[in-house]
Amino acid sequence: MTAKKPIHYFVCSEGSDSLGLDIATDNNTIVEYFDSENNVDLAKFAEIVKSKPNCVQKHFIIYKGDEYRAVETDNVENTYVFSSMLRYRILPKLVAGTETIDTLIDGDKNLENRLAKPERQPEFKLRDANGEIIPDGIKFALQILRGREEDEDDDEDDEEDTEGLSKEELFYCNKDWIGVNSYMGDGKDYFLCAQESNCVSFECETIDEVVYLKYDGGYFYFDIDNKSGGIFIGKAVPTKEQRVQIHYTDDGDICLTGWGGRVYVACEWIKSAYGVVQIDDREEQLRWGSPMKLRLVRL
Protein backbone atom coordinates (compact mmCIF):
# COMPACT_ATOMS: atom_id res chain seq x y z
CA MET A 1 0.00 0.00 0.00
CA THR A 2 1.52 3.32 -1.11
CA ALA A 3 1.81 5.86 1.69
CA LYS A 4 0.10 9.19 1.11
CA LYS A 5 2.35 12.15 0.57
CA PRO A 6 2.33 14.68 3.42
CA ILE A 7 0.78 18.08 2.86
CA HIS A 8 2.89 21.13 3.66
CA TYR A 9 1.77 23.49 6.43
CA PHE A 10 3.08 27.01 6.88
CA VAL A 11 2.09 27.97 10.42
CA CYS A 12 2.08 31.42 11.96
CA SER A 13 4.01 31.03 15.21
CA GLU A 14 1.60 33.44 16.91
CA GLY A 15 -1.20 30.88 16.59
CA SER A 16 0.76 27.66 16.62
CA ASP A 17 -0.40 26.66 20.11
CA SER A 18 -3.94 26.14 18.82
CA LEU A 19 -2.98 24.02 15.82
CA GLY A 20 -3.42 20.77 17.72
CA LEU A 21 -2.25 18.37 15.02
CA ASP A 22 -4.46 15.31 15.15
CA ILE A 23 -2.80 11.89 14.80
CA ALA A 24 -5.53 10.54 12.56
CA THR A 25 -5.62 13.27 9.94
CA ASP A 26 -2.75 15.72 10.34
CA ASN A 27 0.16 13.53 11.35
CA ASN A 28 1.16 13.12 7.71
CA THR A 29 2.37 16.71 7.37
CA ILE A 30 5.42 18.88 6.94
CA VAL A 31 5.34 22.00 9.11
CA GLU A 32 7.33 25.20 8.77
CA TYR A 33 6.76 28.32 10.84
CA PHE A 34 6.69 32.01 9.98
CA ASP A 35 6.73 34.90 12.41
CA SER A 36 3.58 36.86 11.59
CA GLU A 37 0.92 37.56 8.96
CA ASN A 38 3.15 40.30 7.59
CA ASN A 39 5.69 37.69 6.56
CA VAL A 40 3.35 35.65 4.35
CA ASP A 41 5.02 35.32 0.95
CA LEU A 42 2.87 32.95 -1.10
CA ALA A 43 5.27 32.81 -4.03
CA LYS A 44 8.15 31.93 -1.72
CA PHE A 45 6.04 29.28 0.05
CA ALA A 46 5.12 27.77 -3.33
CA GLU A 47 8.78 27.47 -4.28
CA ILE A 48 9.53 25.76 -0.98
CA VAL A 49 6.82 23.20 -1.67
CA LYS A 50 8.06 22.58 -5.21
CA SER A 51 11.52 21.92 -3.83
CA LYS A 52 10.11 19.02 -1.79
CA PRO A 53 8.80 16.49 -4.34
CA ASN A 54 7.90 14.00 -1.62
CA CYS A 55 5.09 16.20 -0.31
CA VAL A 56 1.77 17.09 -1.97
CA GLN A 57 2.62 19.39 -4.85
CA LYS A 58 -0.75 20.75 -5.92
CA HIS A 59 -1.66 22.55 -2.67
CA PHE A 60 -0.21 23.78 0.57
CA ILE A 61 -1.84 25.08 3.76
CA ILE A 62 -1.36 28.32 5.65
CA TYR A 63 -2.59 28.15 9.23
CA LYS A 64 -3.17 31.14 11.47
CA GLY A 65 -5.37 31.11 14.55
CA ASP A 66 -8.46 29.06 13.71
CA GLU A 67 -8.20 29.73 9.97
CA TYR A 68 -6.92 27.35 7.34
CA ARG A 69 -6.09 28.62 3.88
CA ALA A 70 -5.44 26.18 1.05
CA VAL A 71 -3.25 27.65 -1.70
CA GLU A 72 -2.73 26.28 -5.20
CA THR A 73 1.00 25.89 -5.72
CA ASP A 74 0.99 26.83 -9.42
CA ASN A 75 -1.42 29.73 -8.96
CA VAL A 76 -1.01 31.26 -5.51
CA GLU A 77 -3.84 33.72 -6.13
CA ASN A 78 -6.22 30.75 -6.11
CA THR A 79 -6.96 30.14 -2.42
CA TYR A 80 -9.72 28.72 -0.26
CA VAL A 81 -10.29 29.57 3.42
CA PHE A 82 -12.02 27.15 5.80
CA SER A 83 -12.42 26.65 9.54
CA SER A 84 -11.07 23.96 11.83
CA MET A 85 -14.59 22.49 11.92
CA LEU A 86 -14.21 21.48 8.25
CA ARG A 87 -10.58 20.43 8.23
CA TYR A 88 -11.37 16.74 8.77
CA ARG A 89 -13.49 16.69 5.60
CA ILE A 90 -11.49 19.02 3.39
CA LEU A 91 -7.83 18.21 4.10
CA PRO A 92 -8.02 14.46 3.33
CA LYS A 93 -9.75 15.25 0.02
CA LEU A 94 -7.10 17.78 -0.95
CA VAL A 95 -4.36 15.27 -0.12
CA ALA A 96 -6.10 12.50 -2.06
CA GLY A 97 -6.80 14.80 -5.00
CA THR A 98 -10.54 14.17 -4.93
CA GLU A 99 -11.17 17.87 -4.29
CA THR A 100 -9.44 20.98 -5.61
CA ILE A 101 -9.72 24.61 -4.62
CA ASP A 102 -11.95 25.20 -7.63
CA THR A 103 -14.37 22.41 -6.70
CA LEU A 104 -14.52 23.69 -3.12
CA ILE A 105 -15.34 27.18 -4.37
CA ASP A 106 -18.04 25.77 -6.65
CA GLY A 107 -19.47 23.88 -3.67
CA ASP A 108 -19.79 27.13 -1.75
CA LYS A 109 -21.72 28.65 -4.65
CA ASN A 110 -24.19 25.76 -4.47
CA LEU A 111 -24.60 26.15 -0.71
CA GLU A 112 -27.41 28.66 -1.26
CA ASN A 113 -29.43 26.00 -3.09
CA ARG A 114 -29.14 23.67 -0.08
CA LEU A 115 -30.88 26.14 2.24
CA ALA A 116 -34.62 26.42 2.70
CA LYS A 117 -36.57 29.19 0.99
CA PRO A 118 -38.00 31.39 3.76
CA GLU A 119 -41.12 32.41 1.84
CA ARG A 120 -44.42 30.79 2.80
CA GLN A 121 -46.48 28.95 0.25
CA PRO A 122 -49.68 30.95 -0.50
CA GLU A 123 -52.85 29.42 0.99
CA PHE A 124 -50.81 26.63 2.56
CA LYS A 125 -52.61 23.34 3.27
CA LEU A 126 -51.18 20.27 4.96
CA ARG A 127 -51.13 17.37 2.49
CA ASP A 128 -50.14 13.72 2.63
CA ALA A 129 -47.70 12.04 0.23
CA ASN A 130 -50.53 11.56 -2.29
CA GLY A 131 -51.21 15.29 -2.35
CA GLU A 132 -54.52 15.01 -0.50
CA ILE A 133 -55.37 17.68 2.05
CA ILE A 134 -55.27 16.59 5.71
CA PRO A 135 -58.08 18.45 7.52
CA ASP A 136 -57.68 19.74 11.05
CA GLY A 137 -58.10 17.02 13.66
CA ILE A 138 -57.31 14.07 11.36
CA LYS A 139 -54.70 11.72 12.87
CA PHE A 140 -51.48 11.00 11.01
CA ALA A 141 -47.98 9.68 11.66
CA LEU A 142 -44.69 11.20 10.52
CA GLN A 143 -42.44 8.63 8.86
CA ILE A 144 -38.75 9.49 8.63
CA LEU A 145 -37.23 8.61 5.27
CA ARG A 146 -33.61 7.48 5.45
CA GLY A 147 -33.30 5.16 2.44
CA ARG A 148 -34.71 1.95 3.84
CA GLU A 149 -38.24 2.50 2.50
CA GLU A 150 -37.01 2.20 -1.09
CA ASP A 151 -36.21 -1.49 -0.83
CA GLU A 152 -38.41 -2.60 2.06
CA ASP A 153 -40.65 -4.70 -0.23
CA ASP A 154 -37.69 -6.78 -1.37
CA ASP A 155 -36.15 -7.47 2.02
CA GLU A 156 -36.71 -11.19 2.70
CA ASP A 157 -35.02 -11.01 6.10
CA ASP A 158 -37.64 -8.50 7.25
CA GLU A 159 -40.40 -10.98 6.36
CA GLU A 160 -38.93 -13.51 8.80
CA ASP A 161 -38.63 -10.86 11.55
CA THR A 162 -42.28 -9.80 11.17
CA GLU A 163 -43.84 -13.25 11.22
CA GLY A 164 -46.68 -13.40 13.72
CA LEU A 165 -47.06 -9.63 14.12
CA SER A 166 -50.48 -7.98 14.07
CA LYS A 167 -51.59 -5.79 11.17
CA GLU A 168 -50.95 -2.68 13.26
CA GLU A 169 -47.49 -3.91 14.27
CA LEU A 170 -46.66 -4.70 10.64
CA PHE A 171 -47.59 -1.13 9.70
CA TYR A 172 -44.97 0.31 12.08
CA CYS A 173 -42.31 -2.39 11.84
CA ASN A 174 -38.95 -1.76 10.13
CA LYS A 175 -39.77 1.89 9.52
CA ASP A 176 -38.52 5.04 11.24
CA TRP A 177 -40.94 7.45 12.84
CA ILE A 178 -41.13 10.74 14.66
CA GLY A 179 -41.78 9.99 18.32
CA VAL A 180 -42.15 12.03 21.49
CA ASN A 181 -39.90 11.86 24.53
CA SER A 182 -39.58 13.61 27.89
CA TYR A 183 -36.41 14.64 29.72
CA MET A 184 -37.93 13.88 33.11
CA GLY A 185 -40.19 11.07 31.94
CA ASP A 186 -43.25 12.85 33.32
CA GLY A 187 -44.64 14.13 30.01
CA LYS A 188 -44.37 17.77 31.05
CA ASP A 189 -41.43 18.61 28.79
CA TYR A 190 -42.18 16.71 25.61
CA PHE A 191 -39.83 17.01 22.63
CA LEU A 192 -39.63 15.27 19.27
CA CYS A 193 -37.24 12.39 18.65
CA ALA A 194 -36.72 9.65 16.08
CA GLN A 195 -37.70 6.07 16.80
CA GLU A 196 -37.62 2.81 14.90
CA SER A 197 -40.80 0.70 14.62
CA ASN A 198 -42.67 2.90 17.09
CA CYS A 199 -44.75 5.88 16.09
CA VAL A 200 -47.31 8.18 17.69
CA SER A 201 -50.21 10.08 16.17
CA PHE A 202 -50.23 13.78 15.36
CA GLU A 203 -52.77 16.22 13.97
CA CYS A 204 -52.88 19.79 12.73
CA GLU A 205 -54.84 22.91 13.59
CA THR A 206 -55.25 25.99 11.43
CA ILE A 207 -55.39 29.36 13.19
CA ASP A 208 -55.48 32.61 11.20
CA GLU A 209 -54.30 30.71 8.08
CA VAL A 210 -51.27 29.28 9.90
CA VAL A 211 -51.08 25.47 10.10
CA TYR A 212 -49.75 24.17 13.43
CA LEU A 213 -48.65 20.58 14.01
CA LYS A 214 -49.92 19.12 17.29
CA TYR A 215 -49.47 16.19 19.65
CA ASP A 216 -51.91 15.32 22.43
CA GLY A 217 -53.40 18.82 22.41
CA GLY A 218 -50.00 20.56 22.44
CA TYR A 219 -48.34 22.54 19.65
CA PHE A 220 -44.95 21.96 18.01
CA TYR A 221 -42.66 24.89 18.80
CA PHE A 222 -39.04 25.98 18.98
CA ASP A 223 -37.79 27.28 22.32
CA ILE A 224 -35.77 30.29 21.17
CA ASP A 225 -33.91 30.30 24.52
CA ASN A 226 -32.92 26.65 24.19
CA LYS A 227 -29.73 26.23 22.17
CA SER A 228 -30.39 22.58 21.32
CA GLY A 229 -32.49 23.47 18.26
CA GLY A 230 -35.00 20.78 19.19
CA ILE A 231 -38.77 20.86 18.61
CA PHE A 232 -40.86 20.87 21.79
CA ILE A 233 -44.55 20.38 22.57
CA GLY A 234 -46.37 23.14 24.45
CA LYS A 235 -49.97 23.97 25.37
CA ALA A 236 -49.80 27.62 24.24
CA VAL A 237 -50.14 28.64 20.61
CA PRO A 238 -46.56 29.42 19.52
CA THR A 239 -45.48 32.99 18.88
CA LYS A 240 -44.23 33.82 15.39
CA GLU A 241 -40.62 33.33 16.51
CA GLN A 242 -41.47 29.90 17.94
CA ARG A 243 -43.41 28.52 14.97
CA VAL A 244 -42.38 25.49 12.93
CA GLN A 245 -42.51 26.04 9.17
CA ILE A 246 -43.34 23.19 6.78
CA HIS A 247 -41.68 22.89 3.37
CA TYR A 248 -42.76 20.46 0.65
CA THR A 249 -40.19 18.51 -1.35
CA ASP A 250 -40.59 17.77 -5.05
CA ASP A 251 -41.90 14.28 -4.26
CA GLY A 252 -44.58 15.47 -1.85
CA ASP A 253 -42.76 14.79 1.42
CA ILE A 254 -41.97 17.54 3.92
CA CYS A 255 -39.03 19.13 5.70
CA LEU A 256 -39.13 21.47 8.69
CA THR A 257 -37.46 24.75 9.64
CA GLY A 258 -38.03 27.57 12.06
CA TRP A 259 -40.52 30.20 10.89
CA GLY A 260 -38.85 32.01 8.01
CA GLY A 261 -35.69 30.04 8.73
CA ARG A 262 -33.27 28.72 6.16
CA VAL A 263 -31.69 25.82 8.06
CA TYR A 264 -33.57 22.54 7.96
CA VAL A 265 -34.27 20.27 10.88
CA ALA A 266 -32.02 17.20 10.68
CA CYS A 267 -32.04 13.80 12.34
CA GLU A 268 -28.89 12.33 13.86
CA TRP A 269 -29.18 8.66 14.73
CA ILE A 270 -27.19 8.17 17.93
CA LYS A 271 -28.38 4.57 18.24
CA SER A 272 -29.76 2.26 15.57
CA ALA A 273 -33.29 2.77 16.90
CA TYR A 274 -33.14 6.30 18.39
CA GLY A 275 -32.27 9.65 16.87
CA VAL A 276 -32.04 13.32 17.85
CA VAL A 277 -34.27 15.73 15.93
CA GLN A 278 -33.03 19.33 15.81
CA ILE A 279 -31.99 22.27 13.68
CA ASP A 280 -28.38 21.58 12.75
CA ASP A 281 -26.49 24.64 11.51
CA ARG A 282 -22.98 23.18 11.75
CA GLU A 283 -20.88 24.00 8.69
CA GLU A 284 -20.40 20.32 7.91
CA GLN A 285 -24.14 19.65 7.97
CA LEU A 286 -24.93 22.67 5.80
CA ARG A 287 -22.42 21.62 3.17
CA TRP A 288 -22.75 17.84 3.09
CA GLY A 289 -25.60 16.77 5.34
CA SER A 290 -29.21 16.06 4.43
CA PRO A 291 -32.37 17.52 5.95
CA MET A 292 -34.77 15.19 7.67
CA LYS A 293 -37.49 14.20 5.19
CA LEU A 294 -40.87 13.23 6.56
CA ARG A 295 -43.82 11.46 4.96
CA LEU A 296 -47.30 12.15 6.33
CA VAL A 297 -49.10 8.83 6.76
CA ARG A 298 -52.81 8.86 7.61
CA LEU A 299 -53.83 6.61 10.48
Side-chain angles (χ1 to χ4, degrees):
M1 185 177 188
T2 304
K4 293 181 179 178
K5 291 184 176 182
I7 194 165
H8 205 303
Y9 273 89
F10 293 93
V11 178
C12 179
S13 56
E14 295 174 355
S16 60
D17 291 343
S18 61
L19 180 57
L21 295 178
D22 182 82
I23 294 175
T25 58
D26 289 73
N27 213 30
N28 196 25
T29 61
I30 296 175
V31 179
E32 292 190 29
Y33 294 90
F34 58 94
D35 293 335
S36 69
E37 185 69 25
N38 295 330
N39 293 330
V40 174
D41 187 333
L42 296 182
K44 178 181 178 180
F45 290 170
E47 292 304 315
I48 292 173
V49 172
K50 291 177 182 179
S51 70
K52 299 178 180 179
N54 290 327
C55 71
V56 173
Q57 291 290 291
K58 191 169 182 61
H59 309 100
F60 60 91
I61 304 296
I62 295 177
Y63 176 83
K64 184 177 184 298
D66 190 41
E67 179 184 281
Y68 291 76
R69 180 164 31 142
V71 183
E72 185 176 334
T73 308
D74 290 332
N75 178 13
V76 294
E77 294 183 359
N78 196 22
T79 67
Y80 182 79
V81 176
F82 56 98
S83 70
S84 58
M85 184 70 69
L86 300 180
R87 63 191 269 229
Y88 300 107
R89 291 290 296 266
I90 290 178
L91 284 176
K93 293 181 178 182
L94 287 174
V95 171
T98 56
E99 287 274 19
T100 65
I101 289 174
D102 290 333
T103 60
L104 291 170
I105 292 173
D106 288 341
D108 281 0
K109 293 176 182 177
N110 292 328
L111 183 59
E112 178 73 14
N113 297 328
R114 294 177 56 82
L115 299 175
K117 303 297 186 291
E119 298 82 10
R120 289 184 61 203
Q121 179 180 335
E123 300 181 2
F124 180 90
K125 301 291 184 183
L126 191 64
R127 301 176 184 272
D128 61 22
N130 297 319
E132 304 209 358
I133 293 176
I134 298 181
D136 289 3
I138 296 297
K139 302 295 184 182
F140 58 85
L142 293 171
Q143 182 184 358
I144 302 171
L145 307 180
R146 58 167 173 166
R148 301 192 313 181
E149 68 284 347
E150 296 175 0
D151 56 9
E152 61 187 8
D153 294 335
D154 300 324
D155 195 336
E156 296 180 0
D157 292 334
D158 286 347
E159 293 181 7
E160 297 178 5
D161 295 338
T162 58
E163 186 175 352
L165 295 181
S166 67
K167 184 177 180 180
E168 182 179 6
E169 289 170 329
L170 285 171
F171 176 79
Y172 301 138
C173 190
N174 295 319
K175 299 183 180 74
D176 303 313
W177 303 93
I178 288 293
V180 176
N181 208 338
S182 171
Y183 288 115
M184 302 302 295
D186 58 7
K188 295 180 180 179
D189 53 356
Y190 282 136
F191 61 94
L192 298 191
C193 62
Q195 299 176 338
E196 181 185 1
S197 302
N198 181 26
C199 80
V200 296
S201 63
F202 302 100
E203 59 185 272
C204 67
E205 180 181 353
T206 305
I207 303 174
D208 295 332
E209 300 183 344
V210 176
V211 176
Y212 296 91
L213 300 177
K214 300 182 67 178
Y215 167 75
D216 193 26
Y219 300 87
F220 287 24
Y221 77 97
F222 288 104
D223 184 348
I224 57 178
D225 296 321
N226 189 307
K227 303 303 182 183
S228 72
I231 298 177
F232 297 87
I233 310 294
K235 296 299 182 182
V237 176
T239 64
K240 184 175 181 179
E241 292 76 16
Q242 295 175 323
R243 291 176 189 163
V244 175
Q245 186 164 336
I246 302 167
H247 302 262
Y248 286 109
T249 64
D250 292 338
D251 50 11
D253 299 314
I254 67 171
C255 296
L256 305 176
T257 68
W259 195 255
R262 306 215 58 194
V263 180
Y264 288 110
V265 171
C267 177
E268 181 179 0
W269 292 91
I270 56 178
K271 296 180 180 179
S272 61
Y274 185 85
V276 176
V277 172
Q278 61 188 8
I279 287 180
D280 190 346
D281 59 0
R282 294 174 301 166
E283 287 185 89
E284 184 172 355
Q285 172 67 21
L286 295 179
R287 292 167 181 266
W288 299 293
S290 298
M292 178 179 66
K293 290 180 63 175
L294 301 174
R295 180 164 294 166
L296 275 71
V297 181
R298 291 176 186 251
L299 299 178

